[in-house]
Amino acid sequence: MNPHVTRSRDLAPHELRILVAVADEGGFGAAAATLGLTQSAVSHSVRGSESKLGAVLFERGRTGARATAAGARVVGHARRVLRLLALMAEEARTGPDEIRGPLRIAAFRSAALHLLPPALTALAARHPDLEPEVRVVRDIGAGTPGEVAAGRADLAIATLGGSTALPAGLVSGALVEEKYALVHPAAHPEPRTLPLVDWTENCGSYTRDWWAAQDWIPRATVRAEDDGTVLSMVGTGLGMAIMPDLALRGGVPDGVRITDLGPDRPVRSVGYVTTAELARTAPVRALIRELRVLSRDG
């Protein structure tokens, strides 16, 4: 077979764009309006893609279209392929040291607040035409790696080493090791007797074994939306908390003290996640380089 001839079962870029638009807009009509096509053209294209792939990609209903499990995987691949095509075109038009255009980053809250800004500042100084786009994603469920797998981010800042494996096709690298500490009202004589203030993102598997072995830690009696709210609640005397270093880098409220948990304290690894293909592109390589330099210097 001539490798330069596209096989009839391959999806063309315009077909990929239609699949992504239907998934993003939640329906054929809305996707058609976004793409400047007729609804029948969108419907025909999706049926053709389903026929080529041998799978139903969308559940149709009166309220719109929702991706099936197979459809969600296909749409993720479609976004990633389209992103690589865009990067290929951009790198073909620029010199070897010139990096420009969007760089899509997903990060959990404390990483977005304290780990990314110095790296992005250094990156902007070297490559002023690069356009970072940062989305804050909760560190639960699929978390930030799920944004890369779904094709919505080029690189994610994520906690590594938990019980949930990275989605297939993703690669990662460690940047910092975060120690956990006891955070409590400074004036309390026995902070370990206080109620526990916690938040959903703080229950990662990297701390579970240590947590289960600590008979002094009660079940959380106060739950907050994020780590910033936890610090505020501890500051008002509602309880104590066990928090990682990144959550504390911005400082703690007056009257709050940070106490070391000792040599057996839990530690979590924070790093980057991307795809093997994107890791070789200029914008992602440049960001990883800055993150590594700052992590080493810090």
Side-chain angles (χ1 to χ4, degrees):
M1 179 183 290
N2 186 339
H4 301 292
V5 176
T6 302
R7 294 182 299 166
S8 62
R9 302 189 72 83
D10 289 343
L11 299 191
H14 74 273
E15 293 174 299
L16 300 181
R17 291 188 182 92
I18 289 173
L19 294 179
V20 170
V22 172
D24 288 347
E25 300 298 332
F28 290 7
T34 297
L35 296 171
L37 301 173
T38 64
Q39 183 168 335
S40 61
V42 169
S43 179
H44 178 76
S45 178
V46 172
R47 286 197 303 271
S49 296
E50 290 177 324
S51 177
K52 288 179 181 181
L53 296 175
V56 176
L57 303 181
F58 294 97
E59 295 177 353
R60 283 80 158 170
R62 286 179 297 178
T63 59
R66 184 167 62 90
T68 63
R73 292 192 295 271
V74 168
V75 169
H77 285 298
R79 289 194 187 100
R80 287 156 59 176
V81 169
L82 292 171
R83 177 63 175 143
L84 286 171
L85 290 174
L87 284 167
M88 177 183 69
E90 190 62 56
E91 292 188 15
R93 292 192 295 265
T94 58
D97 299 321
E98 187 180 7
I99 305 176
R100 62 174 59 194
L103 172 59
R104 306 169 307 159
I105 306 161
F108 57 91
R109 179 183 177 277
S110 57
L113 283 173
H114 307 301
L115 191 61
L116 272 177
L120 295 181
T121 299
L123 199 61
R126 295 177 186 272
H127 307 289
D129 293 326
L130 193 61
E131 303 166 10
E133 303 169 359
V134 180
R135 294 180 60 244
V136 176
V137 177
R138 298 191 73 187
D139 195 21
I140 54 177
T144 57
E147 296 299 296
V148 176
R152 289 186 288 264
D154 303 325
L155 179 141
I157 303 297
T159 53
L160 306 177
S163 60
T164 303
L166 288 178
L170 303 193
V171 296
S172 64
L175 294 170
V176 296
E177 297 292 317
E178 284 192 281
K179 300 173 183 176
Y180 278 72
L182 177 65
V183 184
H184 58 91
H188 199 281
E190 296 183 65
R192 292 190 178 210
T193 65
L194 287 168
L196 176 67
V197 184
D198 207 7
W199 74 106
T200 305
E201 293 174 88
N202 199 35
C203 61
S205 60
Y206 33 78
T207 64
R208 283 179 190 148
D209 291 344
W210 177 89
W211 206 285
Q214 311 304 309
D215 56 10
W216 59 275
I217 302 179
R219 296 178 68 88
T221 56
V222 181
R223 285 207 173 269
E225 179 66 22
D226 56 43
D227 49 5
T229 309
V230 168
L231 279 175
S232 178
M233 289 182 169
V234 172
T236 61
L238 286 174
M240 55 84 176
I242 297 167
M243 307 183 73
D245 175 65
L246 270 179
L248 305 174
R249 286 197 183 180
V252 297
D254 291 340
V256 172
R257 178 174 296 169
I258 301 171
T259 299
D260 195 302
L261 285 168
D264 66 338
R265 61 186 167 240
V267 176
R268 74 171 178 176
S269 178
V270 175
Y272 66 85
V273 175
T274 186
T275 69
E277 296 81 12
L278 284 167
R280 293 190 286 269
T281 63
V284 172
R285 285 202 320 268
L287 177 57
I288 291 173
R289 187 183 309 116
E290 297 298 344
L291 287 167
R292 283 175 169 164
V293 168
L294 289 166
S295 299
R296 184 177 64 244
D297 294 345

